[in-house]
Amino acid sequence: MPAISTADIMQDDIAVSIARALTVANKRARALGIDVLHSLITVTQRSSNGDTFWRINYGSKDYVGKRGGDLIIEIDQSNASIIQELWGQ
């Protein structure tokens, strides 16, 4: 398997878009008190009316037997702005 260089990553539009979105979401999550390093993070892409969004979910790594408490931050792919923040119950 060939090594992936930084130049390869920077030429991949999806990789760069996810990195931008994750950076914005991580900063906001930290400001809201989320321990990003100890969170189970999932990234989901969704589209609506031709626009694309990244939905980044921060949950507990030890999720068995726990309910709620997740933070979901949705980022607009076109400008890396936060569209909405949702807290799980």
Side-chain angles (χ1 to χ4, degrees):
M1 181 176 192
I4 302 295
S5 70
T6 302
D8 291 333
I9 295 168
M10 297 307 291
Q11 291 177 4
D12 186 325
D13 292 339
I14 293 175
V16 171
S17 179
I18 291 171
R20 288 177 59 209
L22 196 55
T23 299
V24 170
N26 284 347
K27 183 175 182 179
R28 182 64 182 146
R30 285 184 185 102
L32 293 171
I34 299 295
D35 183 355
V36 173
L37 291 177
H38 293 99
S39 294
L40 177 64
I41 300 172
T42 58
V43 178
T44 307
Q45 184 184 43
R46 83 171 181 86
S47 295
S48 175
N49 298 326
D51 297 323
T52 302
F53 306 93
W54 295 111
R55 181 170 280 185
I56 302 170
N57 187 89
Y58 298 87
S60 172
K61 283 187 179 179
D62 182 23
Y63 58 86
V64 175
K66 292 184 181 179
R67 276 189 70 189
D70 286 14
L71 171 64
I72 301 168
I73 300 177
E74 196 163 79
I75 306 291
D76 186 330
Q77 179 178 324
S78 68
N79 60 14
S81 65
I82 296 174
I83 300 301
Q84 66 177 341
E85 301 167 5
L86 303 167
W87 285 96
Q89 296 183 8

